[in-house]
Structure formats: C-alpha cells, structure tokens
Amino acid sequence: MTAANMFAALAPVVDVFASLGIEYQIGGSVAATTFGHARSTLDVDVVANVRAEHATAISNALGKGYYVEPEAIVEAVKHESSFNVLSLIAFFKVDVFVVKATEYEQTAFARVIMAPLAGSGSDRLFRFATAEDVILHKLDWFVKGGRSSDRQWRDILGVVAVQRTRLDLAYLRKWAPSLGIEDLLDSALVPGTA
C-alpha cells in the first residue's frame, strides 16, 4: 500500500480522535520508517487513550467510509488490547492499541514527537512515539514473537542506525531491564551492527 492510502485512512481517524479528546501516537513499522529505513506495510499502529464511552462516537463519526465495531472497541478497552479500523475507501487498516496502565507504557505515551507521514506528500504533522520508544516496543515485540522476526530486527537496527547520535541512551537503559530486553538492546546498540 502507498503512503497516500495510509494518509487517507489515518487522517480522518486521528481527526475523530481529536474531536473526542483522545490522545494518540503512531508506533510500529510506520514510526520505524519515520525514524529509520523505509519499508512497506499493510497497516498503521496507533496507541490511543480510548475509553469505552468513545466506542459509539468513534463508529458514528467515521461513518460509512470505515468499518469499525463499537463492541470491539469496548472489548479492547476492557482488556487493554487492540481493535481495527478499516478504511473502505483507501483499503487500509488502522490498528488501534489501547494504552496500557503500566508505568513504562504511560511514560512512553507521554513522550511524543510531531512529524509528517513519510512519503505522503503532505506536510501535516502527526503524533509519533519517540525513536527510543519505537526501539523498546520493537524489541519487546521481537521477544514476544520468539526472537524470529527478521523484519522487527531490521526495523530496530534501522532506527538505531539513523538515530544513533540522537538517542537518549539513559532512557533506553532505564526501561530495557523492566521489559526483559536488556541483552537485545545491547546487541542492537553495538556500533556497526546497524
């Protein structure tokens, strides 16, 4: 899918979030592309502080151009998991992850960088997770996926390579042990690895 499709699917979703007072940040492979090396993706991951009472309003506001189940939103909030928002016009999926109540997730959610959506042709700014939090989240997903995802590892190394001189190493080293990824962070940060 093209960045134009992604932009067309994402912009109305974050506009609805803004109208409802829902904060969000873009993470996952889209954020890894923003801070690292470009790669294609079939969806965009968004973390948001959605609440159950937002479910019907989100569905109604997005209207017929999107497929989203209010019940799925309520369940995602209840279990601190995720729900899908499908653009029927752009044919693109927005995966919305409910921000978890852990200390790290709350800290990461409060750290935002404003940046345009790479390759979209628009200078509109979106809220992104920081490069450090992209690395930490990707390392966590790498572990949860059995340490076998070459794509996740390449994303991590790409962000490290591009952002190396700007990374807040103290922040990375503070949170890596609590996420159980200290060894992987050390490996990713080895000069010449990325």
Side-chain angles (χ1 to χ4, degrees):
M1 284 290 163
T2 68
N5 290 81
M6 186 187 310
F7 183 91
L10 179 64
V13 173
V14 299
D15 289 344
V16 167
F17 285 179
S19 74
L20 296 172
I22 299 170
E23 293 184 344
Y24 76 93
Q25 62 179 216
I26 299 169
S29 59
V30 174
T33 292
T34 298
F35 300 118
H37 300 304
R39 77 163 170 91
S40 63
T41 184
L42 299 175
D43 58 20
V44 57
D45 294 341
V46 173
V47 178
N49 63 347
V50 177
R51 296 188 310 271
E53 59 265 27
H54 292 133
T56 301
I58 290 170
S59 180
N60 290 344
L62 289 172
K64 295 181 180 179
Y66 285 83
Y67 177 76
V68 57
E69 296 177 347
E71 299 81 13
I73 298 173
V74 172
E75 284 300 308
V77 170
K78 182 179 177 182
H79 300 288
E80 290 185 335
S81 59
S82 65
F83 62 93
N84 300 321
V85 178
L86 304 171
S87 170
L88 303 175
I89 298 165
F91 303 108
F92 204 86
K93 182 173 69 157
V94 179
D95 291 327
V96 181
F97 294 82
V98 176
V99 65
K100 292 179 174 25
T102 68
E103 183 182 4
Y104 168 67
E105 294 296 338
Q106 291 294 313
T107 300
F109 190 67
R111 294 164 36 96
V112 173
I113 290 187
M114 301 300 291
L117 198 59
S120 69
S122 172
D123 58 0
R124 176 177 175 173
L125 300 179
F126 291 89
R127 297 168 55 95
F128 280 86
T130 66
E132 293 84 5
D133 291 310
V134 171
I135 291 168
L136 292 170
H137 280 114
K138 287 267 179 190
L139 286 169
D140 189 42
W141 278 105
F142 182 73
V143 169
K144 288 176 179 170
R147 298 179 179 225
S148 61
S149 174
D150 289 339
R151 183 179 298 174
Q152 294 283 9
W153 189 247
R154 283 192 309 268
D155 282 350
I156 293 160
L157 295 182
V159 175
V160 169
V162 173
Q163 301 297 322
R164 182 175 296 282
T165 61
R166 294 180 288 279
L167 290 174
D168 183 342
L169 296 176
Y171 179 85
L172 287 167
R173 295 197 185 284
K174 174 183 177 180
W175 291 107
S178 65
L179 297 172
I181 56 173
E182 197 170 14
D183 61 325
L184 288 169
L185 176 64
D186 288 342
S187 296
L189 293 175
V190 171
T193 304

